[in-house]
């Protein structure tokens, strides 16, 4: 008999096909979830990727750093070609003890600093806006995995209000932990366009199959070849983490 979880896996694969495989430009994206691993393990992954259409956006790569090689940042491949570092050079993955942050901009630090002051994710987002790159007004997206106590998985988006681009929608989702083999995902855009249409609706159920390296290959290979730039997978287990990179 087909179970609810079986149906959810099918739905996640459908989302993966529509929103990533068949989509030339979902933009930057975040996926967070659990892998099917040993019953005694609780193996999590955070996936983050960047895409670009302009020369300025494509002149980037991922670099792993931090004291324990558990932080991810973007940097220019050729600094001489950078026309504007705003919104393209930033720390994308940071950590506190049992807290794992990922975002598509420098608000990664805003969130981490707020949480370490015992503030809420909403408090961090209250002082930020969507990006100011008119006419696209790229959304700021983020996810936070809290493995303290009972734990919590949160996603957030800051996007220009559809009726008035001078105003910003600030939306936070809090989810129960997903079953192994599944995660939630959000991207900056729905698809390609001029201007680019912001992501709408709730974060998507998406599949997370195999090892962290398998996940890296699956998502990297799904992204449009001409527009993808770099992808990282952070594997998290028992308070330790490591980052796997895929990039041109």
């Amino acid at each position: 008999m087909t179970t609810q979880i079986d149906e959810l896996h099918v739905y996640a694969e459908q989302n993966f096909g529509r929103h990533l495989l068949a989509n030339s430009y979902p933009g930057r994206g975040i996926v967070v979830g659990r892998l099917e691993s040993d019953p005694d393990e609780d193996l999590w992954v955070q996936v983050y990727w960047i895409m670009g259409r302009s020369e300025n956006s494509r002149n980037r790569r991922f670099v792993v750093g931090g004291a324990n090689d558990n932080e991810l940042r973007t940097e220019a491949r050729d600094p001489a070609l950078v026309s504007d570092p705003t919104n393209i050079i930033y720390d994308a993955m940071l950590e506190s003890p049992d807290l794992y942050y990922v975002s598509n901009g420098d608000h990664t630090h805003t969130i981490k600093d707020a949480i370490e002051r015992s503030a809420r994710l909403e408090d961090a987002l209250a002082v930020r806006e969507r990006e100011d790159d008119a006419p696209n007004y790229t959304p700021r997206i983020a996810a936070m995995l809290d493995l303290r106590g009972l734990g919590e998985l949160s996603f957030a988006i800051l996007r220009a209000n559809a009726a008035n681009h001078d105003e910003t929608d600030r939306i936070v989702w809090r989810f129960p932990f997903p079953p192994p083999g599944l995660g939630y995902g959000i991207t900056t855009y729905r698809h390609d366009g001029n201007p680019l249409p912001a992501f709408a609706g709730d974060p998507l159920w998406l599949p997370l199959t195999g090892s962290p390296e398998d996940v890296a290959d699956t998502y990297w290979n799904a992204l449009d070849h001409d527009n993808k730039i770099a992808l990282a997978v952070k594997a998290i287990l028992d308070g330790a983490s490591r980052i796997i990179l895929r990039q041109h």
Side-chain angles (χ1 to χ4, degrees):
M1 185 178 74
T2 301
T3 68
Q4 183 176 349
I5 300 301
D6 292 334
E7 293 179 352
L8 200 52
H9 277 276
V10 172
Y11 181 51
E13 291 288 351
Q14 291 171 343
N15 286 336
F16 181 83
R18 284 192 298 262
H19 197 69
L20 297 181
L21 273 175
N23 189 350
S24 64
Y25 207 75
R28 287 169 272 179
I30 295 170
V31 182
V32 183
R34 302 159 83 185
L35 299 190
E36 294 173 325
S37 56
D38 188 286
D40 295 328
E41 295 181 343
D42 192 20
L43 179 56
W44 286 84
V45 290
Q46 290 178 318
V47 186
Y48 179 59
W49 67 81
I50 56 176
M51 304 182 78
R53 300 188 302 179
S54 69
E55 182 181 38
N56 194 48
S57 291
R58 291 178 175 177
N59 181 34
R60 289 181 291 170
R61 63 178 180 178
F62 280 162
V63 177
V64 175
N68 298 308
D69 285 334
N70 57 12
E71 298 179 357
L72 180 75
R73 71 179 188 272
T74 64
E75 72 172 25
R77 288 183 177 275
D78 184 348
L81 297 178
V82 176
S83 59
D84 181 4
T86 307
N87 300 327
I88 67 165
I89 306 298
Y90 53 87
D91 289 318
M93 288 180 173
L94 296 171
E95 293 184 15
S96 303
D98 291 323
L99 284 159
Y100 303 88
Y101 316 95
V102 54
S103 94
N104 71 323
D106 62 6
H107 54 297
T108 319
H109 277 284
T110 307
I111 294 168
K112 180 177 183 288
D113 293 346
I115 299 301
E116 289 182 345
R117 296 194 307 269
S118 298
R120 303 175 306 160
L121 183 57
E122 289 89 338
D123 299 322
L125 298 177
V127 300
R128 300 304 303 266
E129 303 287 340
R130 75 288 183 277
E131 293 182 7
D132 57 359
D133 58 337
N136 294 317
Y137 297 105
T138 298
R140 294 188 184 273
I141 57 175
M144 182 178 73
L145 175 61
D146 184 349
L147 295 178
R148 303 171 300 179
L150 296 176
E152 185 172 74
L153 176 57
S154 303
F155 277 75
I157 188 169
L158 301 177
R159 68 181 174 218
N161 181 268
N164 182 356
H165 288 172
D166 292 332
E167 300 290 340
T168 298
D169 298 336
R170 293 178 171 82
I171 304 169
V172 173
W173 296 269
R174 287 188 169 84
F175 295 112
F177 284 170
L182 291 168
Y184 297 96
I186 190 171
T187 60
T188 49
Y189 309 120
R190 294 196 299 275
H191 51 73
D192 205 349
N194 288 296
L196 288 158
F199 182 88
D202 295 330
L204 305 169
W205 283 103
L206 288 169
L208 292 169
T209 304
S211 68
E213 287 79 9
D214 292 333
V215 170
D217 289 336
T218 297
Y219 277 81
W220 177 246
N221 292 335
L223 298 176
D224 182 80
H225 180 271
D226 293 332
N227 293 319
K228 65 184 179 182
I229 298 171
L231 178 143
V233 172
K234 175 178 279 191
I236 302 163
L237 178 64
D238 295 333
S241 66
R242 62 186 180 94
I243 296 176
I244 301 139
L245 297 183
R246 299 287 184 267
Q247 53 191 338
H248 290 308

